[in-house]
Amino acid sequence: MSENATLALVSPLSARAQDMQESATIAMAKKCRELIAKGFDVINLSFGEPDFQTPQYIKDAAKQALDDGYTFYTPVPGIPDLRQAICDKFKRDNNLDFQPNQIVVGTGAKQALANAVMSLVNPGEEVIVFSPYWVSYEEMVKLAGGTAVPLRGTLENEYKVTAAQLEAAITPRTKLVMYSSPCNPTGAVFSREELGAIAEVLARHPHVYALADEIYEYINFVGEHVSLAQFPEVHDRVITVNGFSKGYAMTGWRLGYLAARPDIAYACEKMQSQITSGTCSITQRAGLAALRGGRGSADEMVAAYRRRRDLVLDIVRDIPGFKTPTPSGAFYIFPEVSAYFGRTTPDGRTINTSMDLALYLLNDALVSAVSGEAFGAPECMRFSTAAADDKLVEAFRRVKASLAKLA
């Protein structure tokens, strides 16, 4: 082989790009779309996306912004009136006091999370990630050069990590703790007592910060939503992330934000200034209208999500081998499915992992779900319940029928 041919075999990609995994939810949704494009009647329960339209008053605000010529660059951390409205939201909903210079508006909560991780974590530092976790947390930590340390909750405790577990996991190298509540993928919600105990642990370790992902805040079936930043002993070390995609059905708009003490917020602003700059001007005006419009539309959607959760649980609890905690929020179920490992498909393939099972259900039942491996729980699977009632009933009828075929 010639020298030029040898060189051609060497990948030009960075180690960073080669090591990074594609988002499992996006990958499964891609497979689902490919089958749909071929004419298959696939029910997609893999994506974390509301099936509701963005409320009309928010759309109208975007149209008005276009008509008003609101088409220029905005300040990197967001337009002033949106940042003030976010401060007002924190005061109204969470009893938290922030100033506009503590708010950074980004292109979705995902960018806000990435900004915070990249601004805080140094190579070699550890990030404790409450597990099961959203698929991108671990990859964000890797991108920053940190070491993700998954900390697993038990099924009996709705997969919630306890304060005692956190205390035992903290080391001198720990820089950050990441979690979501309500949780993606489990739907678990931390109570005031649980977060208070976690705050007490963090208070004893002043070198540790916390990144609280509250994107599902409004989709809560147990009443009170508690923010870790509400506990004064850790308030200045908590970065709170939220956004508009779930509560306002604004996924395609790409609008999220974080709140943190001024030096951390400014670091996140600098990070964003070199990557995307300010978020879409029209989207920001739509977000402003969403916040000023209150929670009425969100509450209507939550009522539907609660009904769908109960509908799905009634069906799933009739499926042998599925162990499914009752989600307290979000719009997922996260059953433990290891009872099917070792089973054989009708064409002779062995189901060894939850990914095998997810692919089997995609091809046999034409139902798309996501393997728990990407969430730090390889014995589980995530199904979205953000679909119409009839679609959910049909999806789980198919799932049950396909699972019955396994020998």
Side-chain angles (χ1 to χ4, degrees):
M1 186 179 292
S2 68
E3 181 179 350
N4 287 341
T6 301
L7 290 173
L9 295 175
V10 178
S11 174
L13 300 178
S14 68
R16 180 185 305 108
Q18 294 184 68
D19 290 344
M20 180 173 288
Q21 301 298 310
E22 182 181 23
S23 165
T25 54
I26 292 174
M28 186 56 77
K30 186 189 300 182
K31 293 179 186 293
C32 177
R33 284 192 294 268
E34 289 170 357
L35 285 175
I36 292 172
K38 293 177 181 177
F40 291 96
D41 177 25
V42 180
I43 301 176
N44 186 358
L45 303 184
S46 60
F47 231 18
E49 182 167 39
D51 64 323
F52 295 99
Q53 278 287 321
T54 302
Q56 189 61 46
Y57 76 95
I58 299 174
K59 295 180 183 179
D60 290 341
K63 294 174 186 176
Q64 188 63 50
L66 282 169
D67 290 342
D68 292 345
Y70 208 84
T71 58
F72 297 94
Y73 288 138
T74 73
V76 170
I79 57 177
D81 43 0
L82 176 57
R83 293 163 79 192
Q84 181 59 58
I86 292 168
C87 292
D88 296 342
K89 178 265 174 222
F90 273 118
K91 185 62 176 178
R92 179 188 71 236
D93 292 346
N94 313 104
N95 197 30
L96 289 170
D97 292 307
F98 289 108
Q99 298 301 313
N101 70 326
Q102 296 178 268
I103 306 297
V104 180
V105 176
T107 307
K110 181 180 283 190
Q111 183 178 31
L113 289 163
N115 284 344
V117 172
M118 296 295 291
S119 296
L120 285 170
V121 178
N122 293 303
E125 292 181 327
E126 295 176 349
V127 178
I128 294 173
V129 183
F130 288 6
S131 174
Y133 48 77
W134 183 48
V135 295
S136 292
Y137 290 171
E138 189 169 8
E139 296 303 314
M140 289 176 181
V141 173
K142 285 166 56 179
L143 189 61
T147 300
V149 181
L151 188 58
R152 181 66 182 273
T154 64
L155 185 151
E156 294 73 21
N157 195 39
E158 301 176 58
Y159 295 112
K160 290 185 284 187
V161 168
T162 66
Q165 286 180 285
L166 177 60
E167 181 76 70
I170 292 175
T171 75
R173 294 182 300 279
T174 304
K175 182 62 171 289
L176 186 64
V177 173
M178 292 181 72
Y179 75 94
S180 59
S181 179
C183 177
N184 176 4
T186 68
V189 175
F190 280 106
S191 69
R192 180 168 297 277
E193 292 72 25
E194 289 166 333
L195 280 184
I198 287 170
E200 289 178 7
V201 171
L202 293 174
R204 292 194 288 271
H205 299 277
H207 67 291
V208 181
Y209 292 73
L211 183 51
D213 181 352
E214 301 187 358
I215 188 66
Y216 290 92
E217 174 187 0
Y218 286 174
I219 308 175
N220 184 325
F221 309 132
V222 294
E224 183 184 35
H225 171 82
V226 184
S227 296
L228 185 60
Q230 291 172 348
F231 297 91
E233 61 268 38
V234 295
H235 173 80
D236 285 346
R237 285 188 281 128
V238 178
I239 303 91
T240 303
V241 170
N242 210 321
F244 297 78
S245 59
K246 315 302 181 183
Y248 290 99
M250 292 178 67
T251 51
W253 299 77
R254 307 309 302 138
L255 187 63
Y257 55 88
L258 63 79
R261 73 187 195 204
D263 60 327
I264 295 175
Y266 179 58
C268 292
E269 177 184 343
K270 287 195 298 180
M271 189 68 62
Q272 185 166 302
S273 75
Q274 297 294 356
I275 298 173
T276 60
S277 295
T279 302
C280 169
S281 57
I282 306 303
T283 292
Q284 291 191 58
R285 297 298 296 183
L288 178 61
L291 290 178
R292 288 177 172 172
R295 290 183 53 167
S297 59
D299 291 341
E300 291 177 10
M301 288 186 281
V302 169
Y305 291 137
R306 182 196 295 269
R307 184 187 70 249
R308 293 169 178 179
R309 177 201 66 172
D310 294 343
L311 173 68
V312 168
L313 286 176
D314 282 345
I315 301 171
V316 167
R317 284 175 177 155
D318 220 23
I319 298 178
F322 269 32
K323 299 176 183 177
T324 309
T326 298
S328 297
F331 41 64
Y332 307 104
I333 62 165
F334 198 63
E336 203 266 9
V337 297
S338 63
Y340 291 94
F341 296 174
R343 302 277 190 95
T344 305
T345 65
D347 61 357
R349 290 176 293 111
T350 301
I351 301 294
N352 292 313
T353 66
S354 58
M355 176 57 79
D356 292 342
L357 189 59
L359 292 173
Y360 167 68
L361 291 177
L362 178 61
N363 290 295
D364 189 80
L366 296 179
V367 173
S368 174
V370 187
S371 161
E373 294 171 22
F375 300 99
E379 75 283 10
C380 297
M381 290 181 66
R382 192 192 77 173
F383 296 85
S384 170
T385 57
D389 295 34
D390 59 335
K391 288 285 188 183
L392 292 170
V393 170
E394 173 60 15
F396 286 100
R397 183 199 66 77
R398 295 182 189 179
V399 167
K400 185 176 181 180
S402 287
L403 291 174
K405 298 177 187 178
L406 296 174

